[in-house]
Amino acid sequence: TCAEMATVPLGFNIDTPRWDQSTFVGRLKHFLNITDPRTVLVPEEELDRAKALVESCRAGLVPPGSSREQLLYAKKLYDSAFHPDSGEKMNLIGRMSFQVPGGMALTGCMLQFYRTVPAVVFWQWVNQSFNAIVNYTNRNAASPISLRQIGVAYVTATGTALATAVGLNLYTKRAPPLLARWVPFAAVAAANCVNIPMMRQQEIINGVTVTDGDNNELGRSRRAAVKGIAQVVVSRITMAAPGMIILPIIMERLEKFPFMQRIRVLHGPLQVLLCGGL
C-alpha cells in the first residue's frame, strides 16, 4: 500500500542512464552493465521483484529503506531480462546478458569443428538458430514483423551460411590449412548480410521515425533505416572478426606444439575461452 511505501529520493529518475551517453566511455559502461552475463544466473523470482521495484519507482514510490544502489541494481536486472518496449520477460537465450557465454560457446565450436561437411552444417545451423531466437526476442515493437517474415529470414540466412561454409570448405581442401579455419567467419559474415536486412525489412519498407533534438516526431525515413541497418551489418561482422580471424592463427601455431597434439580434447574448450578473451 502507499502507506508502506516511501517516496523516491529527490531528483532521482530510474530511467536516466548512470553514465554520460554522449561519451564513448559512458556508452561502453552502459553496454557492459546491461550485458553482464552474471545476471543470467539470477532467479526468476528476483527478476520479478526487480521489475516490481522499477515500476514502483517510476510511479514515485519505493519500499522504505531502499537505497539508490538497490534501485540501480533492480534497473540493471530489469534491463537484462525484460523487453524495453513491451516490458515482457524475455527468454533466456535471447537476452543480451546471454550473448557473451552463448556467443563464446558457438564461436568456439564453429572454429573447432570446421574440417568435415556434416560438422560445418550442424554448427552453422545451430548458430543461425541462435541468431533467429535473439532477433525474435529483441524485435522492435514499433516495426512489428510477422512469424512468416521471421521464418523466411531464418531459412534464407541459414541457407546462405550453409552454402558459403560448405562451398568454401570443399574449395579449401587443397588450400593452406589456415584458409579452411577462416571459412566459419566467411559464413557468418555472409549470413549477417542477409539475415539482418531480412529481419528488419519492415523498417526498410516503411521507414523509421525521425525526431528532432526535443524528441518531436518529424516523420519517417527509409534512407535512415537503410543507413542504420547497413551500420548494424558492418558492426556485427566487425565484432566477430577479431575472434574468428585472429584465433585461427593462434590455434594454428599452438597445435604444432607436442603437448597440444597429445591432448586434443583441450582444443575445443581452449578455443571457447580464447573467444571470450578476444
Side-chain angles (χ1 to χ4, degrees):
T1 63
C2 290
E4 296 172 334
M5 305 291 279
T7 57
V8 176
L10 187 65
F12 178 76
N13 183 348
I14 199 165
D15 291 309
T16 300
R18 294 178 65 177
W19 300 278
D20 184 1
Q21 295 302 284
S22 66
T23 66
F24 172 77
V25 173
R27 292 191 296 272
L28 177 63
K29 287 181 178 179
H30 175 73
F31 178 77
L32 293 175
N33 187 53
I34 64 175
T35 59
D36 186 346
R38 293 174 298 180
T39 59
V40 172
L41 304 174
V42 174
E44 297 294 303
E45 300 79 20
E46 189 172 346
L47 294 177
D48 293 333
R49 285 197 297 270
K51 181 182 181 181
L53 184 55
V54 169
E55 291 175 343
S56 296
C57 192
R58 285 172 175 167
L61 296 169
V62 294
S66 298
S67 68
R68 184 174 182 274
E69 285 305 312
Q70 286 175 320
L71 297 176
L72 290 173
Y73 182 66
K75 184 61 164 56
K76 173 178 179 172
L77 295 183
Y78 177 84
D79 288 341
S80 76
F82 295 89
H83 194 283
D85 296 331
S86 66
E88 295 177 359
K89 187 183 291 180
M90 298 183 286
N91 67 77
L92 181 66
I93 294 175
R95 296 175 191 171
M96 286 297 102
S97 50
F98 188 74
Q99 297 311 292
V100 171
M104 280 173 58
L106 279 173
T107 304
C109 289
M110 283 190 291
L111 293 175
Q112 176 64 23
F113 305 107
Y114 68 93
R115 291 180 174 86
T116 66
V117 171
V120 168
V121 168
F122 177 76
W123 286 109
Q124 288 296 330
W125 168 73
V126 171
N127 185 53
Q128 291 309 316
S129 298
F130 177 75
N131 289 339
I133 293 172
V134 172
N135 289 333
Y136 176 74
T137 304
N138 295 278
R139 63 196 180 281
N140 188 341
S143 299
I145 182 171
S146 68
L147 285 174
R148 181 181 176 278
Q149 290 171 319
I150 291 171
V152 171
Y154 168 62
V155 170
T156 308
T158 303
T160 302
L162 293 182
T164 304
V166 173
L168 290 176
N169 184 269
L170 296 173
Y171 179 75
T172 56
K173 288 293 183 185
R174 297 180 181 178
L178 186 58
L179 288 181
R181 287 180 178 271
W182 281 332
V183 167
F185 173 67
V188 167
N192 275 326
C193 291
V194 173
N195 189 28
I196 297 167
M198 290 287 288
M199 283 296 298
R200 299 178 64 173
Q201 58 186 280
Q202 290 299 109
E203 296 174 40
I204 298 173
I205 296 168
N206 301 318
V208 293
T209 302
V210 178
T211 59
D212 61 16
D214 297 320
N215 213 30
N216 297 314
E217 189 173 325
L218 302 176
R220 299 183 73 84
S221 170
R222 284 188 289 182
R223 180 179 293 181
V226 170
K227 182 178 180 182
I229 291 168
Q231 290 175 343
V232 171
V233 171
V234 172
S235 67
R236 288 277 185 91
I237 295 172
T238 303
M239 285 190 295
M244 300 191 84
I245 291 178
I246 299 172
L247 187 52
I249 298 173
I250 295 172
M251 290 302 295
E252 186 74 11
R253 301 254 178 113
L254 286 177
E255 287 178 6
K256 291 178 181 177
F257 289 101
F259 77 93
M260 286 292 286
Q261 293 172 359
R262 286 197 305 269
I263 317 174
R264 291 191 174 275
V265 72
L266 289 177
H267 292 196
L270 179 61
Q271 293 216 88
V272 170
L273 290 173
L274 289 174
C275 282
L278 291 171

